[in-house]
């Protein structure tokens, strides 16, 4: 084996989790048999058995980002899908372990994690690796609409994107990966682009009530998420804001969020909060609205405004579809070297290949 030779394997990190299991099923449906990576051998083997590939499914047991990175360096899979969360810490070491020549996909939602992974762009080009961050509903459903609205037009002056996920809840507990994402988003503090520069604003800013194309309504408010960076890169607009339907819009909750953000920035308090939140019981519940929507409003210097939507069904199912589609493309060697958000890597039509529908004004 030369130094750059890869095994052709596709690894799913966090393969016992909700997204990990869903991505594994989708890859099997596309004719790929993924390697399942996690921290509990028995649960991994059960997840493998559910894929219907008999003994063909290989498992790798690794309990931390460091040990996963070590396995990736030694065993050289072709593509690694990271669903273990805490992406601000786990994404860079694991993506680096994929280089040279291996490819990487994650589902980061927080701004810090997305920006750290995109900072590996030059290293990824030199290594011939494609790194895709934010391969989930939020980033793709909004950046794809922005990219479509800005196609063949000069840079706009202002963009607002709204990530309006509707997600069914599985019974059980929240789990460490999701708890870490929630805390990371709260502690980033809201950011926006104003006059071409990142600026801080209050978490829960810009509360909105939006009428959706299917006749339902949804509330959303400002959030510091990876969607901001993706929308700014797709549009090159000097002013960009992001809202999300996952941010509490009740006045008392919005008032408490900034203080919570300061408290949870203390590492010891963050650890306690993530541990406690991870144990939060969740009741099985259907998704609250018919569809998940990505929405963008783009305004040009002469005042012209265009609005567009991307419709998907359940936000979690769509996230798994996006991650699986991006992974299958990388496994077929269809990525360009570099570090990208998903529409930047594969074009906005990745959003329809994953099952979404554009409604463009
Ligand atoms: N960008 C988006 O649009 C989007 C959408 C949905 C989800 N997400 C993100 O995707 C991630 C996965 O979500 P999920 O619902 O699948 O969570 P989940 O059900 O809790 O699954 C997480 C998986 O990662 C494993 N894991 C967690 N921490 C680990 C560590 N330190 N080392 C090794 N394995 C670890 C868990 O193993 P155990 O079972 O042993 O705990 C589990 O298998 C979360 O970060 C979530 O925020 C993003």
């Amino acid at each position: 084996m030369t130094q750059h030779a890869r095994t052709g394997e596709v690894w799913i990190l966090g393969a016992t989790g909700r997204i990990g299991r869903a991505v594994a099923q989708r890859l099997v449906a596309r004719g790929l048999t993924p390697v399942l990576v996690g921290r509990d051998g028995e649960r991994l083997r059960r997840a493998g058995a559910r894929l219907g590939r008999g003994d063909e499914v290989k498992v790798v047991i690794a309990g931390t980002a460091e040990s996963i990175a070590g396995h990736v360096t030694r065993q050289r899979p072709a593509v690694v899908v990271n669903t273990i969360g805490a992406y601000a810490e786990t994404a860079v070491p694991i993506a680096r372990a994929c280089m040279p020549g291996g490819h990487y996909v994650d589902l980061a939602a927080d701004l810090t994690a997305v920006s750290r992974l995109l900072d590996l762009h030059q290293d990824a080009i030199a290594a011939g690796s494609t790194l895709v961050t934010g391969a989930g509903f939020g980033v793709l459903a909004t950046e794809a609409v922005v990219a479509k609205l800005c196609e063949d037009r000069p840079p706009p002056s202002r963009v607002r994107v709204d990530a309006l996920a509707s997600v069914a809840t599985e019974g059980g507990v929240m789990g460490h990966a999701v708890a870490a994402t929630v805390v990371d988003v709260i502690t980033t503090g809201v950011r926006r682009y104003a006059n071409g520069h990142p600026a801080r604003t209050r978490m829960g800013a810009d509360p909105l009530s939006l009428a959706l194309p299917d006749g339902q309504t949804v509330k959303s408010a400002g959030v510091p998420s990876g969607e901001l960076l993706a929308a700014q890169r797709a549009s090159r607009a000097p002013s960009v804001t992001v809202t999300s339907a996952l941010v509490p819009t009740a006045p008392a909750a919005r008032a408490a969020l900034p203080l919570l953000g300061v408290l949870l920035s203390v590492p010891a308090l963050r650890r306690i909060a993530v541990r406690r939140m991870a144990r939060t019981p969740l009741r099985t519940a259907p998704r609250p609205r018919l569809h998940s929507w990505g929405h963008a409003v783009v305004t040009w210097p002469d005042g012209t405004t265009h609005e567009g939507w991307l419709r998907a069904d359940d936000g979690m199912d769509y996230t798994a579809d996006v991650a699986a589609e991006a992974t299958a493309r990388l496994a077929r060697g269809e990525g360009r070297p570099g570090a990208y958000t998903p529409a930047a890597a594969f074009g906005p039509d990745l959003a329809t290949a994953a099952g979404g529908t554009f409604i463009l004004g």
Side-chain angles (χ1 to χ4, degrees):
M1 205 183 267
T2 67
Q3 203 213 338
H4 292 258
R6 293 265 150 195
T7 58
E9 289 177 350
V10 175
W11 284 23
I12 300 182
L13 317 181
T16 54
R18 182 172 176 181
I19 296 288
R21 283 179 278 129
V23 171
Q25 281 160 2
R26 285 158 172 77
L27 292 179
V28 167
R30 288 166 165 84
L32 294 163
T33 303
V35 173
L36 307 186
V37 186
R39 36 192 177 190
D40 182 310
E42 191 40 48
R43 281 192 290 135
L44 282 173
R45 278 183 278 278
R46 279 205 301 274
R50 281 195 291 270
L51 295 177
R53 288 288 168 107
D55 291 340
E56 221 185 292
V57 180
K58 170 175 160 185
V59 305
V60 173
I61 299 164
T64 63
E66 292 69 32
S67 81
I68 291 169
H71 282 280
V72 170
T73 303
R74 287 188 298 278
Q75 299 195 42
R76 311 181 69 73
V79 189
V80 170
V81 189
N82 179 2
T83 81
I84 71 172
Y87 293 113
E89 276 73 45
T90 68
V92 168
I94 294 170
R96 280 202 180 284
C98 295
M99 297 192 259
H103 309 304
Y104 169 90
V105 177
D106 74 34
L107 293 83
D110 71 285
L111 198 48
T112 309
V114 170
S115 133
R116 282 185 186 164
L117 201 281
L118 293 176
D119 284 348
L120 298 183
H121 186 61
Q122 292 305 332
D123 291 354
I125 290 175
S129 292
T130 308
L131 315 178
V132 181
T133 185
F137 168 78
V139 171
L140 181 62
T142 48
E143 73 163 342
V145 179
V146 173
K148 280 284 194 195
L149 293 175
C150 293
E151 242 165 27
D152 304 323
R153 292 187 168 118
S157 48
R158 202 164 66 239
V159 170
R160 192 191 80 227
V161 293
D162 309 301
L164 309 168
S166 178
V167 172
T169 313
E170 260 186 9
V173 293
M174 182 182 282
H176 187 274
V178 176
T181 297
V182 172
V183 170
D184 286 342
V185 167
I186 293 174
T187 52
T188 313
V190 164
R191 300 257 168 79
R192 62 169 74 216
Y193 278 89
N195 303 317
H197 300 286
R200 288 187 86 82
T201 55
R202 207 167 47 77
M203 176 90 179
D206 311 318
L208 293 170
S209 185
L210 285 157
L212 300 169
D214 59 13
Q216 297 194 292
T217 56
V218 61
K219 289 187 172 158
S220 70
V223 66
S225 61
E227 286 88 323
L228 179 70
L229 214 44
Q232 199 278 332
R233 287 170 161 236
S235 64
R236 290 175 290 142
S239 297
V240 183
T241 52
V242 182
T243 79
S244 164
L246 300 179
V247 178
T249 49
R254 285 177 43 230
L257 282 170
L259 176 60
L260 201 57
V262 173
L263 291 174
L264 296 180
S265 301
V266 178
L269 294 181
R270 178 187 189 278
R271 277 194 297 277
I272 294 168
V274 170
R275 248 196 330 268
R276 291 219 166 162
M277 210 182 276
R279 292 197 294 261
T280 307
L282 298 177
R283 255 199 242 138
T284 304
R287 61 179 189 260
R289 291 174 300 282
L290 276 176
H291 300 109
S292 297
W293 294 94
H295 180 224
V297 183
V298 180
T299 306
W300 279 266
D302 67 359
T304 309
T305 295
H306 288 281
E307 179 179 13
W309 301 84
L310 182 93
R311 186 184 66 222
D313 293 333
D314 184 277
M316 277 286 186
D317 291 343
Y318 186 71
T319 289
D321 287 325
V322 170
E325 181 63 27
T327 303
R329 290 180 183 210
L330 293 179
R332 293 196 297 265
E334 294 174 11
R336 294 176 287 143
Y340 306 98
T341 51
F346 297 111
D349 292 330
L350 179 71
T352 47
T357 305
F358 285 114
I359 302 174
L360 301 171

